[in-house]
Amino acid sequence: DTGVSQNPRHKITKRGQNVTFRCDPISEHNRLYWYRQTLGQGPEFLTYFQNEAQLEKSRLLSDRFSAERPKGSFSTLEIQRTEQGDSAMYLCASSPGRGTDTQYFGPGTRLTVL
Amino acid sequence: DQQVKQNSPSLSVQEGRISILNCDYTNSMFDYFLWYKKYPAEGPTFLISISSIKDKNEDGRFTVFLNKSAKHLSLHIVPSQPGDSAVYFCAASARYVGQAGTALIFGKGTTLSVSS
């Protein structure tokens, strides 16, 4: 078990460009979550998937954001027309979807929008 | 409206002593609480959790206490070690309250510094 992995670890882009991040959850974890963390804050929930179904989206997830989990395994988070306010750490977590259902986090993708 | 509050931004402790990190919450529907530890440039690492049906959970040097009437929980680390220096986040969820119950609500974190 290699844990949750995220790619890339760092992304620098210019305002207006599109970016896509990938998350590979712990194998056999049914639930996958995306969070965003800015400086001085705790992680804030963006969205979550149960297998391939996106079941919840936060108000933070504007229409420029889209997330997919097409086969119920890895997930992608795309941000279109990036803005400087999108600069943050984007965290992915997964959980078994049963029992205590503890969420385990990946290392995150640090996005800097210039 | 912050539902999970960690009112102490930082805490300094000497090696070998006890570290006590505090967390308050406002939503009475929360029924599961977790502590995560985070190093710079890494994701949060799960430490310990507690269900609302318990008032204490212990795992090695880490103990979490839950006081439901006061809506307060604390993490005790005994003995503290320099490697414990990190940011500690308290998180809560309301697992059985609709779909949104799966989301974790985090506090802003407390930076623990353990000096040798």
Side-chain angles (χ1 to χ4, degrees), chain B residues 23-37:
Chain B
C23 178
D24 297 295
Y25 62 95
T26 57
N27 189 340
S28 58
M29 300 305 292
F30 287 148
D31 63 351
Y32 189 52
F33 304 89
L34 309 90
W35 285 95
Y36 287 86
K37 170 179 167 181

Side-chain angles (χ1 to χ4, degrees), chain B:
Chain B
D1 179 26
Q2 242 188 311
Q3 298 186 68
V4 177
K5 299 179 184 179
Q6 294 178 257
N7 292 320
S8 297
S10 62
L11 175 67
S12 294
V13 173
Q14 283 193 319
E15 181 178 8
R17 307 293 282 262
I18 184 172
S19 294
I20 300 176
L21 297 105
N22 294 304
C23 178
D24 297 295
Y25 62 95
T26 57
N27 189 340
S28 58
M29 300 305 292
F30 287 148
D31 63 351
Y32 189 52
F33 304 89
L34 309 90
W35 285 95
Y36 287 86
K37 170 179 167 181
K38 188 178 184 302
Y39 294 116
E42 294 184 11
T45 300
F46 170 71
L47 275 177
I48 192 168
S49 62
I50 188 166
S51 167
S52 59
I53 62 173
K54 296 185 175 182
D55 55 17
K56 177 182 173 181
N57 189 26
E58 194 171 353
D59 184 1
R61 297 186 298 116
F62 302 92
T63 303
V64 56
F65 296 92
L66 175 63
N67 183 334
K68 284 179 61 181
S69 60
K71 293 191 178 69
H72 176 84
L73 65 155
S74 60
L75 174 68
H76 293 211
I77 306 174
V78 182
S80 301
Q81 300 172 353
D84 295 331
S85 298
V87 180
Y88 288 77
F89 289 98
C90 171
S93 72
R95 289 176 298 171
Y96 303 110
V97 182
Q99 297 177 7
T102 58
L104 291 178
I105 309 300
F106 283 83
K108 291 187 176 183
T110 296
T111 300
L112 174 65
S113 299
V114 180
S115 56
S116 55

Side-chain angles (χ1 to χ4, degrees), chain A residues 37-86:
Chain A
Q37 185 177 19
T38 53
L39 196 63
Q41 303 294 319
E44 296 172 291
F45 170 74
L46 292 177
T47 188
Y48 103 92
F49 292 84
Q50 173 84 28
N51 299 311
E52 67 276 6
Q54 188 174 16
L55 296 184
E56 184 71 17
K57 291 194 282 188
S58 158
R59 289 170 298 180
L60 293 176
L61 211 69
S62 76
D63 55 7
R64 296 184 297 105
F65 288 68
S66 62
E68 294 183 342
R69 194 183 183 197
K71 297 182 180 180
S73 56
F74 73 91
S75 175
T76 57
L77 178 68
E78 180 183 16
I79 309 175
Q80 296 182 327
R81 306 180 304 280
T82 53
E83 301 173 355
Q84 288 185 326
D86 296 332

